[in-house]
Amino acid sequence: MPQLNPAPWFIILIFAWVVFLVMMPPKVLAHKSSNNPELPITSSSKTEFWAWPWQ
């Protein structure tokens, strides 16, 4: 039964981790988000009370 021989599967496991840890992060971090959040305006605005017509 070949699945009991760990030699080829260990190399595949190591190669997969190398791909995920070395090659993928720069590719993922290179993408720019098109919806960059901006800092909110900190100026205070004067709030006015609503003039309800039925009061």
Side-chain angles (χ1 to χ4, degrees), residues 6-52:
W9 304 113
F10 185 71
I11 298 299
I12 293 171
L13 175 73
I14 296 299
F15 183 70
W17 276 104
V18 166
V19 168
F20 285 124
L21 294 177
V22 174
M23 296 175 64
M24 293 304 290
K27 289 182 178 286
V28 172
L29 293 175
H31 290 282
K32 301 283 185 197
S33 175
S34 61
N35 190 15
N36 291 331
E38 296 179 2
L39 293 175
I41 300 172
T42 58
S43 64
S44 61
S45 62
K46 182 182 176 189
T47 58
E48 298 179 7
F49 294 105
W50 287 2
W52 298 99

